[in-house]
């Protein structure tokens, strides 16, 4: 749990206290960038969105009353920043930087196979509508519970559940996943 | 339905392995620190001093009303809207020396623009912009440009061009382009022309000052734009792409089949293309921030003929009457803007004061 006991603003005119922000960034920045990357589809925009989200969170830290809800609160701001990127900026240029879509796959028993699977999943993920992509990333990458996701996106847990179901169904039907499933069936891998 | 475990591992494979940009955390902290420093003080609390607040409001209303009426009239004929505040103010620091307006280009924090016109001597002093970024660290990257109109005597366009070229060369610059038009082809002299000088950023301000001595400066416009953030962003993107390229090369060395090699090769080609594209943008930005461009328009007095028409007494009187009528009408129109604004401002302030007073009375009761 993050310590947000010092989240209230300091005295006017005193030195700027950035300890809260520094603590958040130290603990959460890499995870946030990767989450944003999976949502927006490329690293520069992900880093922009995360920077914007953290600055916004820090600016409005007074609005957070319950320390236990910090994580969903921060994810909510991050998701909003990503949505803002997707809505306003990225549509004006190429959204998917294919070069960014996959990096290396370290310590794998079969690097090329995992590489191919990961690429296929990313392709399928990028084809999902944003509202479905967000819940998939928050559930299966950020490892939030359905209740936390609901708080992060401002919807009911039931909505999250149905969106996750719909997202998984669409992912499975995506041609990239289907072709991968067909290939792995012959080699014994499991893609249902 | 796709398996949850497989989905989780695929997403982690895709996202977990890359390193986030170095220095990103420090950059965010720096932005936050700057933003907080720029934030207005929250110490002002009108509610605790209602009487002082009302007095202040009334004083502001009176000053705004008087200023709204007086300033445009004081600056009649010389771009009154600037003084009135209807247009964005000049952001460069204007100083005065020996009665001549000066524009200190080196004080421009971000995007600044300055222009002046008239017959006075115009001077731009630039103590030099920050030098270009050294390798590794990026200093301020500022692009500067400007435009000057000079009037020279007689057939001085050719001479002026030669002097301007020499000035640019002396400052380590060169002539980027030039064009001129003959007054009369038979005479072989130019009536007017434009020459674009390209000098290192550090010498831009000095060049502007020197150029004005070549002729009679009738107008001057300079602007500078801080593109440091764009520059840093481009460099960060190139670094990220290069890191990706290294990782793909590592993957390729482990690839076990031709199809995998080809897949990685496709990604590598895309990355290489993007790196070259970004590098091109960086080169353009680098060039723009290394050199400043000054466009000098040179005209001769003869190229703007002054036509004097002699009128008879009656015609002149009629002409004067029409001119007087138009001038009076213009004055009325010019006055109406500030008056309407002053009335609106006063109304708004009175409304605000009334609302505050009502709230205070309501609180007391």
């Amino acid at each position: 749990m993050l310590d947000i006991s010092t989240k209230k603003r300091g005295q006017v005119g005193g030195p700027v206290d950035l300890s809260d922000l520094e603590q958040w960034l130290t603990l959460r920045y890499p995870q946030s960038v990767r989450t944003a990357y999976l949502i927006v589809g490329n690293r520069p925009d992900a880093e922009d969105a995360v920077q914007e989200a953290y600055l916004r969170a820090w600016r409005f830290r007074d609005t957070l009353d319950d320390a236990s809800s910090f994580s969903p609160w921060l994810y909510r701001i991050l998701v909003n920043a990503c949505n803002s990127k997707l809505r306003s900026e990225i549509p004006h240029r190429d959204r998917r930087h294919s070069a960014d879509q996959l990096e290396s796959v370290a310590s794998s028993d079969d690097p090329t196979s995992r590489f191919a699977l990961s690429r296929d999943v990313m392709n399928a993920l990028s084809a999902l509508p944003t509202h479905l992509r967000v819940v998939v990333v928050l559930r299966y990458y950020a490892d939030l519970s359905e209740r936390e996701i609901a708080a992060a996106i401002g919807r009911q847990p039931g909505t999250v559940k149905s969106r996750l179901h719909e997202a998984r169904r669409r992912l499975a039907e995506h041609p990239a996943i289907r072709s991968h499933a067909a290939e792995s069936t012959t080699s014994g891998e499991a893609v249902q | 339905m796709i398996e949850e475990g497989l989905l989780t591992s695929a997403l982690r494979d895709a996202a977990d392995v890359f390193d986030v940009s170095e220095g990103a955390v420090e950059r965010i902290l720096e932005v936050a620190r700057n933003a907080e420093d720029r934030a207005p003080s929250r110490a002002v609390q009108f509610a605790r001093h209602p009487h002082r607040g009302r007095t202040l409001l009334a004083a502001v209303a009176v000053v705004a009303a008087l200023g709204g009426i007086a300033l445009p009239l004081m600056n009649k004929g010389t771009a009154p809207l600037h003084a009135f505040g209807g247009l964005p103010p000049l952001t460069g620091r204007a100083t005065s020396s020996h009665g001549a307006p000066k524009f200190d280009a080196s004080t421009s924090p971000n995007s600044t623009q300055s222009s002046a016109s008239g017959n006075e001597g115009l001077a731009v002093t630039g103590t030099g912009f920050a030098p270009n970024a050294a390798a590794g660290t990026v200093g301020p990257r500022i692009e500067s440009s400007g435009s000057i109109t000079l009037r020279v005597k007689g057939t001085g366009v050719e001479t002026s061009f030669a002097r301007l070229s020499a000035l640019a060369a002396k400052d380590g610059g060169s002539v980027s382009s030039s064009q001129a038009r003959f007054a009369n082809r038979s005479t072989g002299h130019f009536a007017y022309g434009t020459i674009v000088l390209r000098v290192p950023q550090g010498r831009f301000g000095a060049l502007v000052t020197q150029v004005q001595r070549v002729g009679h400066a009738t107008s001057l416009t300079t602007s500078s734009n801080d593109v440091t953030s764009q520059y840093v962003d481009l460099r960060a993107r190139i670094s990220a792409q290069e890191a990706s390229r290294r990782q793909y090369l590592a993957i390729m060395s482990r690839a076990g089949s031709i199809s995998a090699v080809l897949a990685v090769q496709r990604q590598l080609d895309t990355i290489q293309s993007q790196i070259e594209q970004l590098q091109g943008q960086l080169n353009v930005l680098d060039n723009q921030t290394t050199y400043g461009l000054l466009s000098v328009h040179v005209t001769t007095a003869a190229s703007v003929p002054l036509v004097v028409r002699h009128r008879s007494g009656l015609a002149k009187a009629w002409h004067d009457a029409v001119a007087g009528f138009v001038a009076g009408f213009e004055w009325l129109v010019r006055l109406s803007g500030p008056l309407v604004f002053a009335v609106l401002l006063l109304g708004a302030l009175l409304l605000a004061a009334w609302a505050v007073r009502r709230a205070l009375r309501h609180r007391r009761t």
Side-chain angles (χ1 to χ4, degrees):
Chain A
M1 180 66 64
L2 286 173
D3 175 19
I4 55 166
S5 58
T6 59
K7 71 186 177 61
K8 297 297 177 189
R9 291 179 192 276
Q11 293 296 315
V12 172
V16 181
D17 180 15
L18 295 174
S19 55
D20 301 345
L21 181 62
E22 194 168 3
Q23 187 188 14
W24 300 348
L25 288 167
T26 306
L27 293 175
R28 291 174 171 266
Y29 182 76
Q31 170 83 359
S32 300
V33 169
R34 289 165 181 148
T35 304
Y37 161 71
L38 292 173
I39 295 173
V40 301
N42 68 77
R43 283 167 60 175
D45 284 315
E47 293 195 3
D48 282 354
V50 170
Q51 172 170 329
E52 193 181 325
Y54 273 86
L55 290 173
R56 203 181 296 169
W58 183 68
R59 188 176 165 202
F60 296 107
R61 61 197 182 279
D62 289 353
T63 61
L64 178 66
D65 294 324
D66 182 9
S68 63
S69 60
F70 176 78
S71 185
W73 175 74
L74 189 61
Y75 270 113
R76 181 167 194 160
I77 296 173
L78 179 61
V79 168
N80 285 340
C82 291
N83 280 334
S84 174
K85 278 269 171 207
L86 289 168
R87 262 198 315 269
S88 60
E89 296 179 29
I90 301 179
H92 299 297
R93 57 178 198 271
D94 183 17
R95 177 179 299 184
R96 278 168 288 169
H97 290 195
S98 55
D100 279 342
Q101 286 196 350
L102 275 181
E103 311 300 328
S104 66
V105 178
S107 64
S108 165
D109 46 354
D110 183 1
T112 50
S113 168
R114 286 188 65 174
F115 167 73
L117 172 62
S118 190
R119 186 186 58 185
D120 291 342
V121 169
M122 282 298 285
N123 283 337
L125 188 69
S126 63
L128 284 181
T130 306
H131 68 282
L132 296 183
R133 189 159 66 238
V134 165
V135 293
V136 168
V137 171
L138 293 182
R139 180 71 191 93
Y140 297 111
Y141 179 73
D143 205 22
L144 298 189
S145 67
E146 286 173 358
R147 190 172 293 276
E148 287 172 325
I149 296 172
I153 65 171
R155 292 285 187 276
Q156 295 297 320
T159 308
V160 174
K161 204 176 182 107
S162 68
R163 284 186 184 182
L164 280 171
H165 185 269
E166 174 67 11
R168 287 178 59 202
R169 189 186 63 77
R170 289 203 195 188
L171 285 174
E173 287 177 357
H174 191 273
I177 302 291
R178 287 169 76 99
S179 64
H180 185 86
E183 285 174 17
S184 57
T185 304
T186 57
S187 59
E189 283 189 30
V191 176
Q192 292 176 359
Chain B
M1 191 77 70
I2 190 167
E3 189 187 349
E4 291 183 319
L6 186 139
L7 190 53
T8 302
S9 67
L11 291 179
R12 287 190 179 151
D13 281 345
D16 272 358
V17 287
F18 69 77
D19 293 325
V20 296
S21 299
E22 289 179 13
V25 170
E26 287 74 21
R27 198 163 56 240
I28 295 174
L29 288 171
E30 186 61 31
V31 173
R33 193 171 290 117
N34 291 338
E36 187 69 11
D37 288 344
R38 282 198 302 271
S41 168
R42 301 180 193 88
V44 181
Q45 297 193 8
F46 288 105
R48 293 183 185 176
H49 306 284
H51 298 294
R52 189 188 300 174
R54 269 185 286 178
T55 310
L56 189 66
L57 280 175
V60 168
V62 170
V63 169
L66 289 176
I69 295 169
L71 281 178
L73 294 176
M74 285 165 63
N75 293 312
K76 187 169 58 178
T78 55
L81 283 177
H82 282 278
F84 186 63
L87 292 175
L90 300 181
T91 48
R93 186 173 63 199
T95 58
S96 179
S97 173
H98 305 297
K102 296 174 82 175
F103 179 77
D104 186 352
S106 66
T107 61
S108 308
N110 283 314
S111 177
T112 66
Q113 192 164 15
S114 170
S115 63
S117 63
N119 295 326
E120 306 90 356
L122 301 166
V124 169
T125 60
T127 52
F129 294 104
N132 292 334
T137 58
V138 178
R141 309 293 302 199
I142 297 169
E143 58 180 10
S144 303
S145 60
S147 171
I148 297 182
T149 302
L150 294 179
R151 201 164 62 222
V152 295
K153 291 178 183 172
T155 58
V157 174
E158 298 92 329
T159 317
S160 302
F161 271 28
R163 287 180 63 189
L164 291 168
S165 304
L167 283 176
K170 193 183 78 178
D171 284 335
S174 60
V175 175
S176 181
S177 68
S178 68
Q179 59 177 12
R181 178 158 290 197
F182 287 111
N184 186 340
R185 197 169 284 279
S186 59
T187 62
H189 293 299
F190 294 117
Y192 55 90
T194 301
I195 184 166
V196 180
L197 307 176
R198 185 169 173 268
V199 290
Q201 286 286 356
R203 301 293 305 160
F204 183 76
L207 179 75
V208 174
T209 308
Q210 291 165 353
V211 163
Q212 290 174 74
R213 296 183 190 134
V214 173
H216 189 70
T218 57
S219 74
L220 163 64
T221 305
T222 60
S223 69
S224 61
N225 189 23
D226 189 343
V227 293
T228 311
S229 59
Q230 293 172 39
Y231 193 83
V232 170
D233 184 51
L234 276 174
R235 280 180 53 153
R237 287 179 183 222
I238 290 172
S239 299
Q241 295 286 13
E242 284 173 344
S244 298
R245 182 171 60 184
R246 283 194 295 275
Q247 289 172 335
Y248 273 110
L249 287 171
I251 292 174
M252 185 181 261
S253 66
R254 294 200 299 270
S257 66
I258 291 176
S259 62
V261 169
L262 290 175
V264 178
Q265 184 61 49
R266 273 199 300 274
Q267 300 290 349
L268 276 169
D269 290 344
T270 310
I271 289 181
Q272 185 61 35
S273 156
Q274 286 176 350
I275 287 176
E276 285 168 7
Q277 195 179 355
L278 290 170
Q279 191 62 51
Q281 292 174 22
L282 190 70
N283 290 344
V284 170
L285 208 56
D286 198 37
N287 189 40
Q288 286 173 346
T289 54
T290 304
Y291 293 96
L293 286 179
L294 181 65
S295 178
V296 186
H297 310 283
V298 183
T299 62
T300 59
S303 66
V304 190
L306 186 64
V307 179
V308 180
R309 294 167 61 186
H310 296 284
R311 291 189 173 91
S312 66
L314 194 58
K316 186 175 182 304
W318 171 249
H319 180 263
D320 289 348
V322 171
F325 177 80
V326 171
F329 191 71
E330 281 177 352
W331 184 82
L332 275 178
V333 170
R334 201 176 296 137
L335 189 65
S336 65
L339 275 176
V340 169
F341 178 79
V343 168
L344 286 175
L345 188 67
L346 264 176
L349 289 173
L350 286 174
L351 193 64
W354 174 79
V356 170
R357 192 177 169 190
R358 189 180 171 195
L360 288 171
R361 190 181 297 167
H362 183 69
R363 188 185 292 175
R364 280 198 203 107
T365 57

